[in-house]
Amino acid sequence: MNKLPLTLTASLLAALFSVPVVAQNTAPAPAKRPNIVVILADDMGFSDLGSFGSEIKTPNLDSLANDGVRFTNFYTHASSSPTRSMLLTGVDTHLNGLGNMDEWTAPNQWGLDGYEGYLNNRVATVPQLLKNSGYHTYMVGKWHMGKTPEQIPAARGFERDFSLLDGAGSYWDMTNFTAASPKSVFTEDGRYLTELPKDYYATETYTDKMIGFIDANHGDGKPFFAYVSHQAPHDPYHLPPEWRSRHVGEYDKGWDAVRQERLKRQIELGIMPKDTKLAERMWFLPDPITLAPATRAILGQKMELYAGMVENLDSHVGRLIDHLKKIGEYENTIFLVFGDNGAEGNDLFKMIAGTPGTRDFLFGAINWSQTDPKAWGDPGSYVAYGPMWAQVSMTPFSQYKGWLAEGGIRNGLIVSGPNVKRQKGSINDGLMHVADIMPTLLDVAGASYPKTIDGRELPALIGTSWSKMLAGQAESPRSEQDYLGWEVFGNRAVRQGDWKLRWQYEPLGKGDWELFNVTADPAERHDLAAKNPEKLRAMLALWDSYVKTNNVILPSRSAFEVLKDQLPPRVPDDPGYPPLVYKRQFVPPKDMTAAPKP
Amino acid sequence: MKNNETSKRFPCLRVATGTLFAIGLLCASQAQAQVPGRFYWKTLSDSSAVPLIVESISGNTNPFDPSHLVTAGGSFDATMALGGYAQTFTLMDRAAMAAVILPMGRLSGEARSRSGTSINQSSNGFGDPMLEFNINVIGPKAQKNIPDALRYEPGFSLDLLADLALPIGQYDSNQALNLGQNRWYGRVGAPMIMQLGLWVPGRRTTLELLPAAWIFGENNNYVGQTLKTDPLFQLDAHLTRDFTENIWGALDGSWYSGGKATINSVAGTKRNDVAFGLTLGYKVNNNMNLTVGYKSTVNDSAPGDMRMDSFMATLVFGWHPLIEGSRRLAGDK
């Protein structure tokens, strides 16, 4: 895509390989094509795996990193369904139906193509194309891209599925969050479930189901595509008791200390360059060393639970890996592992819990009121770890889910398997995007992207295959001229080469364009817009191109439209200010002390 | 931050203080011989508590006498109160408690005279104060700060307990019925807590056992005679369960064996009696706990069997300087 916008290049590629959807194979398939397992962790942050610098113990996911490659410059979208839509279609959100999240579609977007709030029927999906190419296609876990019969996984290419159609919910049962929508909706193999299996626990059940799907057809000679779309570690942090107490007291030290420790490990591992600086502590968060031990203990317990969620997830991924080894499929399986967006720093429960006197408050009182820390993890509890720990999960980046700072959209990616010819355990910083997965997997399967589907012309893919890169023939799928674009909730960004242009609502943004060199300043501490007017203009031109190419319609309402009035005024995070709070007790020289004279 | 934003943003401060005394701080002794369920749950070191216990007791034995010398055919009624003070502290990294309980009240009933005839007697005033020391040996370490208190779960806890009564209570050597016992006596025991299931307020369940042995000195002036009492084995059991975060209940049982009394070398029979009861507990607020209960002996129809039943109410007020200071700063009432 040298010197061409990403979308234009994708269009050319699509045109080049365009064939009807039913005739996919463009080259003789290898004797045994690899299986594909995509493990998507919901709201898991960049630094939450041991192999990305975390203290959280993730030996199974780390084993994939050791067998494969870690990618440190991989971008998703800033929130769930937009990322998922691009993962499964390779098409920009504003064209595939997730131009905005269903939950936040603005009045001026209602009824418009690309803003349906579900995966529209003008795009093809990875499972659809792989299925037509001879793959078994399985899905477990969170879908979040539509609930009606024509929108569910079975209708979008999955041969078998056990899916949560909602964006989140209880891990223990079908309880959802609001009085208007009190029950989570699940499907299994295209049928809406009236109840959940006995002893249901989301992460465990999803894994069991996926293993069952794989086993059911194992031996028929066909490879499989497994989309393991875990709900974990999305809040609420529901967790079996034995997983809740693996880090007791470990996070009492506070978020600053844990961020510093993670960055140190990241530099030691080579995940981040050695001169990397941490992003600002969000100005509305206290310095944890100024907090009482009890406060740190309670807030730390939330992170303990989150760590348990990630470790529990890792354990179940380990079960799947072990099973694939047991049935002899591991060596012929490509794994892709990543989080769907930045870690969650917003207070989702506050948004949905209502206030006293409202129906949602009453619903919450009945279903979500297990607030005692001893009950955290149980059904009826709703724990999320807040912006302070979200920043830890996104070390060293700034901000978190929902925002287009690096902390909202940059995630760790692991790819391992037979197509990865790079050195095992190596790290790569090529510029990558979640929409690249569609063309990459088509390459893996020996399939191509069709021009039409059901008589409708398909939009161009915006991604670029990683095939050469995974083979060690390139360091990045993109050139310095290729660019990536994002827009959700009215926040906007473009990245090209080292540079990133960003517009965000106040106060996390400036309500104006900011310009960062994210290679030199991944923490986005220094807005260079004023100093680089030419670069700013060039990046703005890319933004305009992105808008035109992808049908971007800025929302008239946003989840963040009144945030400025809710947060305290933004101030710098100068360490040690004010000295009034930080200056320690003066201790006089011992030889100058004396008792009072009588 | 404006408008007390810190406390809004960190409601854990409220949770921390709210949790502290929610764990049954220093429920008081029901009587010198028995305590209600949850008495040996641990709380923050350096906490203080003042218990007030009121009991209405009737039966054929003196409730102020922990050996419960049975008067066949006798009938006693007592209205008694116990006031006290307890302090928790850390000893060798373990949770420890020291307490003093002072019984007081009125006692009347039918007793045997020296000639064997039945006479009515009564007594009032203060009984023998009892000192108690308890230290945990198996289980969570002492709660030296609020995070420790927040994380407390008993799991399986085993304590060592020692009681000593000081023979300074009201005593009239001319009558058998007294509040004081005119002798040294005490107890050693091993309170146990077995946590059953999760430790979530509103859902906590415990099985609690107290095996103990009472040891009695001689009363050389028991209506002019010498009263000796063999050691008495005690086993208390409580199955406790939260009903809500603030209300709990318990099924109580007790078994006493031994304690044969000898008066002027004439031996009586040893005790072997069983009692059952119910207790309801209520956390009034973060400082105050209330329990009410009833207990009665069973299989007590034979003349020599101990027969006793009692209604009991306890009110315990507990505090810790850190919690009280936090409350004042937060403006909580």
Side-chain angles (χ1 to χ4, degrees), chain A residues 77 79 81-82 85 93-110 114-118 487-490 553-559:
Chain A
H77 217 306
S79 61
S81 48
S85 69
T93 56
H94 305 88
L95 296 171
N96 69 28
L98 275 301
N100 203 336
M101 292 184 78
D102 184 39
E103 296 87 343
W104 294 101
T105 307
N108 67 322
Q109 297 170 331
W110 292 344
Y115 297 82
E116 291 87 347
Y118 56 85
E487 186 283 322
V488 71
F489 309 136
I553 299 167
L554 293 177
S556 58
R557 300 288 306 275
S558 169

Side-chain angles (χ1 to χ4, degrees), chain B residues 76-98:
Chain B
F76 300 96
D77 288 295
T79 301
M80 61 186 288
L82 295 95
Y85 177 79
Q87 181 74 29
T88 66
F89 55 97
T90 300
L91 185 62
M92 294 178 294
D93 222 22
R94 311 306 303 184
M97 180 190 71

